[in-house]
Amino acid sequence: MVNNIKEKKMNTFLLIIGIISVALVNIKSIFCDYGVDNAYALATSYRYLQGDRLFGEMNEPHMISSFLLNIVLKVFSFFSSDYVGVTIFCQCIGVILYGIAGYFLYLKIRNTVSKRFLIIIITLFLVIRAKHTVFPEFSNMMIIFSVLLWITLTEYLKDESKIYWLVIASLCTALLVLSYQTTLLVFVSTIVASLFFVKRKVRFLLGYMMPCFISGMLYLMIIGFRIGFSNLLPNILFVFSSDSAHNDGFFNMSNLLRFDLAYGLTFLYIVLMVVTLLFVVKMSYEFRKMYVLGIVISLATFLSVVAVTNLSFNASFSYLILGVIVALMAINHINNKNVIINSLVLTFAAAMIIQRGIVVMGYEEGTIFECDNYVRVGPNKGIVTSIENCNRLKYSYEDWNTYVDEDDTVLAVGGWIIDSSVYLNKRIQVSHYSVMCNPTYNEKLEEYWTKYPRKHPNIIAVSGYRGTKEIGDDTWIMKYIDEYYTLEDIGEYWLFYHKK
């Protein structure tokens, strides 16, 4: 009786701490965890709403992943005539969407784990993120859809007469692949793993593969009808040939072997998963199905990212969130009474929460203590960052609103990295095939402008503080500008060249 009272008090205490932690970390992330990668996703959806077509005027490496953010931006446009403050809106929606996924996860595992582990797992899910951001972009979409895939597919494995769970799992897989195309590996891996557990294998293969295949074909047909089927394959090849940031091939070891301090604790994900794998034989058959499928989906998601990412290896570990969930469930399933094990789990959870609360992945990688001020104008209004970034965003907004008109077609030129949210400072047309944060400026642009003449810029904006350009005069784009454009306006952070 005394132990039960202590357990209830401890669980109540953990629940309170969990709620506070989730609230504080997500509030911090809404205002601080926003940078050039998020700006790229934002600009991609912006140009989609401006009428640019996938695999047409748009040839971004992640453009197919923008479908969720497209809807979010469309909703925002109903309430605002411009895009001032759109970033905070998107961040809040991202938290809500992740919270909905967390609720479905709660419904799934509440009768499988103890109350203490339930609190820990849901708290961690709502706090730890693949890229330390709450923005509704591809990394969060991958985690959401992989978790929903696991939930629905394990429900089908529990009762194979409920075919609707299999259809929903198939649709979740389709959305996962749209979020990140290399997750086709998840699709294949899930089929292989599930075949070990299903009784009616042919029915499973048809029920799982057909909805996914049909939805994928419908999506391709919609794109093909918009741009013309004859343009589809050439434009897909153009995406791969024109991207200098992700064209190093599979498993670029120079990136993988880097170490990012912001993801310094993610090696614990691997430790948890490896340790629990050693005890698979001790698991009940029903639980083993859930566990194995979760591990397979998580590892396949991780490998899908590693195959093409420019992130470091330990940063890629952050995609193993589903693996962490099922590993913690396994610890609870095997031995939830061991005081030492429970203490280690609590220590792990506390370390992850504290790290997420302190580390900021914004315009610079740092800590919450380095955020000095908040942005007061433009699409990023409300974002808390350094004084330097606040000034840059403020004066960039003023530059574009002073020297650019809404009927202009503009190419923004930066150094190695560019904040693509500048395209939302004014409702202009984007004249680059890609608005990614490290764009390519070479002969491919001329090829693009030849195919889409209306996208040829009448203004080229070159980033540079008070007239000092960030890009060298010997680069292809500056040689092109010198030949066909003339400098007319110099702002605080941008130089504006007009067509001769």
Side-chain angles (χ1 to χ4, degrees):
M1 184 67 178
V2 174
N3 288 336
N4 287 338
I5 294 174
K6 286 183 178 180
E7 182 71 14
K8 287 182 179 180
K9 286 184 177 180
M10 183 61 178
N11 290 340
T12 302
F13 173 74
L14 288 177
L15 179 61
I16 294 170
I17 294 298
I19 292 171
I20 293 173
S21 298
V22 169
L24 291 179
V25 171
N26 280 279
I27 289 171
K28 185 273 296 186
S29 279
I30 287 172
F31 291 100
C32 301
D33 291 328
Y34 178 88
V36 290
D37 278 347
N38 308 108
Y40 161 41
L42 184 65
T44 300
S45 290
Y46 161 76
R47 69 181 306 186
Y48 180 82
L49 295 187
Q50 290 292 94
D52 288 353
R53 299 166 298 175
L54 302 180
F55 295 109
E57 294 84 357
M58 295 174 65
N59 285 276
E60 335 276 350
H62 302 93
M63 61 183 166
I64 296 180
S65 312
S66 67
F67 63 90
L68 185 59
L69 192 55
N70 294 344
I71 298 171
V72 175
L73 242 63
K74 187 66 176 177
V75 171
F76 183 85
S77 66
F78 287 138
F79 301 101
S80 177
S81 59
D82 55 31
Y83 288 99
V84 174
V86 67
T87 294
I88 294 294
F89 178 80
C90 292
Q91 297 270 75
C92 291
I93 295 298
V95 170
I96 292 171
L97 293 175
Y98 216 79
I100 292 172
Y103 178 69
F104 286 128
L105 177 63
Y106 162 79
L107 294 178
K108 170 66 180 177
I109 69 173
R110 61 179 174 175
N111 296 322
T112 308
V113 297
S114 66
K115 189 171 183 180
R116 176 176 299 189
F117 271 74
L118 177 64
I119 294 168
I120 292 170
I121 291 169
I122 299 301
T123 299
L124 284 176
F125 177 75
L126 296 177
V127 167
I128 57 178
R129 299 294 185 109
K131 290 178 70 177
H132 288 300
T133 179
V134 296
F135 205 75
E137 43 74 75
F138 70 86
S139 67
N140 285 323
M141 290 163 64
M142 287 175 69
I143 301 303
I144 287 174
F145 293 128
S146 66
V147 169
L148 293 179
L149 166 61
W150 174 74
I151 291 171
T152 51
L153 198 51
T154 51
E155 283 298 307
Y156 172 74
L157 292 180
K158 189 188 300 182
D159 184 353
E160 292 183 35
S161 66
K162 296 179 178 178
I163 193 71
Y164 59 87
W165 283 120
L166 187 59
V167 175
I168 298 172
S170 181
L171 295 176
C172 288
T173 305
L175 292 171
L176 177 62
V177 173
L178 285 178
S179 301
Y180 209 80
Q181 287 69 65
T182 52
T183 51
L184 277 170
L185 178 61
V186 177
F187 175 66
V188 175
S189 302
T190 302
I191 290 175
V192 174
S194 299
L195 285 174
F196 284 99
F197 299 114
V198 292
K199 297 172 183 175
R200 303 180 66 177
K201 296 184 180 354
V202 175
R203 180 183 182 182
F204 164 76
L205 288 173
L206 290 174
Y208 185 59
M209 295 175 68
M210 289 307 295
C212 192
F213 177 77
I214 292 170
S215 57
M217 287 298 100
L218 286 174
Y219 194 80
L220 279 177
M221 286 179 65
I222 292 171
I223 294 174
F225 278 122
R226 289 199 69 192
I227 67 170
F229 286 98
S230 61
N231 294 319
L232 190 56
L233 181 58
N235 286 5
I236 289 174
L237 295 175
F238 183 85
V239 173
F240 290 104
S241 65
S242 60
D243 173 23
S244 64
H246 298 81
N247 63 0
D248 295 321
F250 286 155
F251 297 98
N252 181 4
M253 296 307 295
S254 63
N255 288 321
L256 296 179
L257 295 179
R258 295 196 329 265
F259 180 82
D260 286 335
L261 188 60
Y263 298 96
L265 295 179
T266 54
F267 76 94
L268 294 173
Y269 296 1
I270 296 292
V271 173
L272 271 175
M273 292 167 66
V274 170
V275 169
T276 54
L277 277 169
L278 300 175
F279 297 95
V280 172
V281 292
K282 290 188 175 183
M283 301 175 189
S284 67
Y285 180 71
E286 286 302 317
F287 184 86
R288 191 183 305 156
K289 288 192 289 187
M290 288 195 299
Y291 173 80
V292 170
L293 199 59
I295 292 292
V296 168
I297 292 173
S298 191
L299 285 175
T301 303
F302 164 73
L303 291 174
S304 300
V305 173
V306 170
V308 292
T309 189
N310 54 9
L311 296 174
S312 65
F313 210 76
N314 70 311
S316 300
F317 285 159
S318 64
Y319 285 87
L320 293 168
I321 292 173
L322 178 57
V324 172
I325 291 170
V326 295
L328 289 173
M329 291 175 64
I331 291 172
N332 180 251
H333 179 75
I334 297 164
N335 189 350
N336 67 346
K337 299 297 184 181
N338 190 297
V339 176
I340 296 176
I341 291 176
N342 286 345
S343 298
L344 288 173
V345 168
L346 282 173
T347 302
F348 164 74
M352 295 307 306
I353 292 168
I354 292 170
Q355 192 242 19
R356 276 289 287 121
I358 293 176
V359 171
V360 169
M361 292 295 288
Y363 284 107
E364 295 102 2
E365 183 179 312
T367 68
I368 190 72
F369 309 108
E370 296 166 43
C371 296
D372 307 309
N373 211 328
Y374 69 95
V375 182
R376 290 168 169 79
V377 295
N380 301 311
K381 183 178 180 180
I383 291 296
V384 179
T385 182
S386 65
I387 289 289
E388 180 183 356
N389 276 315
C390 287
N391 288 334
R392 178 182 59 80
L393 292 167
K394 172 187 175 182
Y395 290 113
S396 290
Y397 180 77
E398 292 180 0
D399 287 349
W400 281 62
N401 275 272
T402 301
Y403 301 116
V404 175
D405 295 323
E406 288 194 352
D407 58 349
D408 287 326
T409 302
V410 184
L411 172 67
V413 177
W416 168 240
I417 295 291
I418 188 171
D419 182 350
S420 302
S421 65
V422 293
Y423 286 118
L424 282 77
N425 284 332
K426 209 74 175 276
R427 284 182 180 266
I428 50 89
Q429 286 292 320
V430 178
S431 66
H432 201 301
Y433 53 82
S434 173
V435 291
M436 67 185 305
C437 53
N438 40 2
T440 302
Y441 308 102
N442 58 22
E443 293 83 358
K444 289 291 182 179
L445 275 172
E446 286 189 292
E447 182 182 334
Y448 171 74
W449 293 330
T450 300
K451 191 168 186 176
Y452 303 102
R454 71 180 184 88
K455 285 296 183 178
H456 199 284
N458 66 298
I459 295 178
I460 298 181
V462 178
S463 63
Y465 182 62
R466 294 185 176 179
T468 303
K469 299 186 294 291
E470 286 188 13
I471 192 166
D473 291 328
D474 59 341
T475 55
W476 179 89
I477 187 63
M478 285 311 304
K479 290 177 181 177
Y480 184 88
I481 291 171
D482 289 339
E483 184 173 357
Y484 298 107
Y485 291 77
T486 181
L487 178 61
E488 290 200 6
D489 302 296
I490 299 177
E492 189 76 4
Y493 278 87
W494 292 90
L495 296 85
F496 296 91
Y497 294 80
H498 287 243
K499 203 171 183 179
K500 290 181 181 177

